[in-house]
Amino acid sequence: MNNILSDLRHIIEGEVSNTKEELEAVSHDFGGIIQKQPRIIVRPKNSTDVAKAIKYAAKQGLTISSRAAGHSLSGQSLNQDGILLDMRNLNQIHEFRPDELWFKADAGMTWKQVVDTSIPYGVVPPVLTNNFEVTLGGTLSAGGLGLSSFRYGSQADNCLGLEVVTGTGDIIWCTPEKNSELFNHVLCGYGQFGIITQVQNRLRKYRPFTRSYFLCYDDLDILLNDQSLLTSESRIDGLVSLFSPCLLGASRANENGIRPIIEWFYRMQITLEVDSTNDINEIELLSSLNFYRHIHTEDLTFKKFIQPIAQVPHPVDTANSWIDVLLPGSMAKKYIDIALKHIPSFIDFRTVPVGSFCLLNRNMKMPMFPLPEEDLVIGLGLYPTIPKFQIQHVTEQLNFLTDLGLQMGGKRYMATWADFDLPKWRLQFGDYWPKVNEIKRKYDPQMILNPGFFKYEQVGEKNESHALL
């Protein structure tokens, strides 16, 4: 251990440490389910430090992973017995071109820093998640979804260029035209093929005001039809739906005991971005929808609207076992009905956020972000924060919901909780799975980058595994 520490301190310009307190601080992530502890923490000063650390790890037979905000849910930002790169010191904007609608910044920069810089110029990144404290490199490695993703795709779809350090320690600038293979797989690749050190990203002009309509539904089929109408015809700029259970009593006609009688209600929030709220033809917009009650209208400045409503609390001894299932539009009603009936059997349905969102396949281009084959994709999100003693039981049920979604032609958003074995990875990527393995062997031949999340094919298993696809 002392030799590794000494070696790295001689070759790294940034900080290198291995104190007990610092190692423990990076041994868990936001999910709180997986725990891993590295041997060494490196805080690189630049991409050259990252390259040197990767080359050293390869020479010593050590694994190496990157971390910034640590907002992963399945240990994607953790490392066991290897080198952890803490990327937070790489946090500068290098070029900001609001007239040309792009910027270039370090991967450890937060989206909050980007928004604070861009808003005064009347521009903003096309897609923002509900957490501004996460970093560019982190969300681009995962995908990054927001209220406007049905229009603009994921955050990764709005990336224009990347500086990447591969598993062989090569520093490569890549774009959709130059070194495109690496570009297309590092995005949404969870650090498997290279570590992002710098980002060039798109900006867009925004309008100064927003109006949001909060519409209540008591029929899931009607809700899904209205979501499809609004997103496929680009009538709005933002959409999200939240599901609310109403406990109406209990039934004793159940051989397994008392069963709660639950009626689900659905609140769809649609948002328009405008120069003036007087420009909105409200009658035309709302008359085409089939909600049963218009419950609220909210007018905000764009700057206020995009701000996250609140930080998600993370009480001591709890875990965030969140999942997002991406469903083909034609199967969404069937799947959601089953999921809503199943949820009360394993968690406190009264306190767990459940919601829905829409994506359009035509606007999502990243091969490492698999989607159902249909153009309209309905996302179902389930976001329980649970006591740690419930982890095994709850995650078993979440795995059931995952398996059900995959069987119905769905996919998983891998930024959330996932416990995948090889058969699930094959289902997730389908015919593209052999290509994922090929790219891994090409850019990380020693398999040292961020191990323990993806389960790759071993040499000799190839023919058998392809027969199982």
Side-chain angles (χ1 to χ4, degrees):
M1 175 66 74
N2 290 333
N3 288 341
I4 297 172
L5 186 68
S6 175
D7 289 347
L8 287 169
R9 282 178 171 168
H10 276 94
I11 64 174
I12 299 296
E13 289 187 58
E15 304 170 21
V16 182
S17 62
N18 69 338
T19 67
K20 180 180 178 181
E21 293 76 18
E22 289 177 298
L23 294 177
E24 288 180 351
V26 296
S27 67
H28 53 84
D29 61 5
F30 181 73
I33 298 173
I34 305 296
Q35 283 202 320
K36 297 180 180 180
Q37 187 162 301
R39 294 190 194 185
I40 298 287
I41 301 170
V42 172
R43 298 183 179 91
K45 185 177 180 180
N46 47 45
S47 56
T48 302
D49 273 356
V50 175
K52 288 178 178 178
I54 288 176
K55 289 178 179 178
Y56 181 82
K59 184 178 179 180
Q60 299 296 323
L62 296 170
T63 62
I64 187 164
S65 310
S66 60
R67 173 194 177 109
H71 206 263
S72 61
L73 282 95
S74 298
Q76 298 96 316
S77 60
L78 305 181
N79 181 280
Q80 183 63 46
D81 293 328
I83 299 171
L84 183 72
L85 298 170
D86 182 340
M87 305 293 285
R88 288 177 293 179
N89 286 346
L90 300 180
N91 59 8
Q92 301 299 311
I93 289 184
H94 297 286
E95 294 183 74
F96 183 73
R97 305 286 181 86
D99 294 338
E100 299 176 33
L101 297 178
W102 62 268
F103 69 92
K104 185 182 287 186
D106 290 332
M109 190 167 193
T110 66
W111 290 97
K112 183 179 188 306
Q113 291 173 285
V114 174
V115 169
D116 288 347
T117 301
S118 64
I119 283 289
Y121 292 90
V123 294
V124 72
V127 178
L128 293 166
T129 71
N130 60 3
N131 186 347
F132 283 6
E133 299 300 333
V134 292
T135 62
L136 305 182
T139 59
L140 292 178
S141 294
L145 298 178
L147 299 180
S148 59
S149 282
F150 67 90
R151 294 197 68 164
Y152 302 110
S154 68
Q155 289 182 321
D157 287 293
N158 291 279
C159 182
L160 300 173
L162 295 170
E163 183 184 72
V164 175
V165 185
T166 68
T168 55
D170 297 310
I171 303 174
I172 300 174
W173 180 258
C174 51
T175 70
E177 295 79 32
K178 180 181 179 182
N179 300 310
S180 59
E181 182 181 69
L182 184 61
F183 177 84
N184 287 327
H185 292 84
V186 169
L187 290 168
C188 310
Y190 295 93
Q192 295 294 314
F193 315 104
I195 293 174
I196 300 171
T197 52
Q198 200 170 111
V199 171
Q200 183 179 357
N201 205 81
R202 186 176 287 117
L203 296 166
R204 72 169 178 91
K205 296 179 180 179
Y206 66 83
R207 292 176 174 175
F209 302 103
T210 65
R211 170 169 287 179
S212 296
Y213 295 100
F214 295 74
L215 310 173
C216 191
Y217 291 74
D218 61 356
D219 186 297
L220 178 61
D221 207 23
I222 293 175
L223 170 79
L224 296 176
N225 287 338
D226 280 359
Q227 285 187 167
S228 174
L229 174 71
L230 290 167
T231 55
S232 62
E233 297 184 3
S234 298
R235 296 189 186 186
I236 56 174
D237 298 292
L239 180 146
V240 67
S241 297
L242 295 178
F243 299 178
S244 300
C246 179
L247 182 61
L248 299 177
S251 172
R252 292 172 292 175
N254 184 1
E255 61 185 23
N256 296 320
I258 295 176
R259 178 180 63 84
I261 301 172
I262 301 166
E263 180 74 18
W264 287 88
F265 293 88
Y266 315 96
R267 189 213 76 191
M268 181 170 68
Q269 177 185 336
I270 58 175
T271 299
L272 302 172
E273 185 181 320
V274 293
D275 294 316
S276 168
T277 53
N278 294 327
D279 297 339
I280 298 171
N281 188 334
E282 183 173 293
I283 294 175
E284 180 181 354
L285 173 67
L286 298 185
S287 64
S288 65
L289 305 177
N290 294 288
F291 54 90
Y292 89 84
R293 184 174 297 171
H294 173 190
I295 56 176
H296 183 61
T297 300
E298 181 180 72
D299 290 338
L300 296 173
T301 63
F302 180 83
K303 180 179 179 180
K304 187 170 184 179
F305 169 74
I306 62 170
Q307 298 298 321
I309 294 176
Q311 290 289 333
V312 176
H314 196 165
V316 176
D317 293 326
T318 62
N320 293 311
S321 52
W322 300 357
I323 67 168
D324 284 318
V325 183
L326 308 175
L327 303 157
S330 64
M331 298 300 292
K333 169 69 162 56
K334 181 178 180 180
Y335 177 89
I336 294 173
D337 278 340
I338 296 172
L340 295 183
K341 289 178 182 176
H342 188 64
I343 286 170
S345 70
F346 68 96
I347 51 176
D348 185 351
F349 61 90
R350 298 165 297 180
T351 61
V352 174
V354 180
S356 175
F357 54 92
C358 292
L359 302 173
L360 294 177
N361 215 317
R362 72 189 89 147
N363 295 328
M364 308 282 290
K365 306 299 184 184
M366 294 295 106
M368 291 300 295
F369 197 115
L371 288 171
E373 294 182 359
E374 297 177 14
D375 189 45
L376 176 65
V377 176
I378 302 292
L380 179 71
L382 177 64
Y383 311 114
T385 297
I386 58 172
K388 287 198 171 182
F389 69 84
Q390 293 182 358
I391 286 176
Q392 181 176 350
H393 174 63
V394 170
T395 54
E396 285 174 354
Q397 302 307 311
L398 297 179
N399 288 341
F400 164 78
L401 292 175
T402 292
D403 292 342
L404 180 65
L406 293 173
Q407 291 165 16
M408 291 185 176
K411 304 295 182 181
R412 277 292 315 278
Y413 180 29
M414 300 308 297
T416 50
W417 162 254
D419 181 19
F420 271 33
D421 55 13
L422 266 175
K424 284 185 183 178
W425 281 116
R426 293 167 187 152
L427 282 173
Q428 175 78 353
F429 282 96
D431 292 340
Y432 202 74
W433 180 237
K435 182 67 172 180
V436 175
N437 283 267
E438 175 191 326
I439 298 297
K440 178 67 170 178
R441 289 189 291 270
K442 180 176 180 178
Y443 292 103
D444 182 22
Q446 293 187 238
M447 308 289 280
I448 62 172
L449 291 179
N450 200 18
F453 182 53
F454 277 53
K455 307 292 191 299
Y456 290 100
E457 310 286 353
Q458 299 299 314
V459 175
E461 293 182 340
K462 186 175 181 181
N463 291 335
E464 177 187 356
S465 67
H466 289 187
L468 295 173
L469 283 174

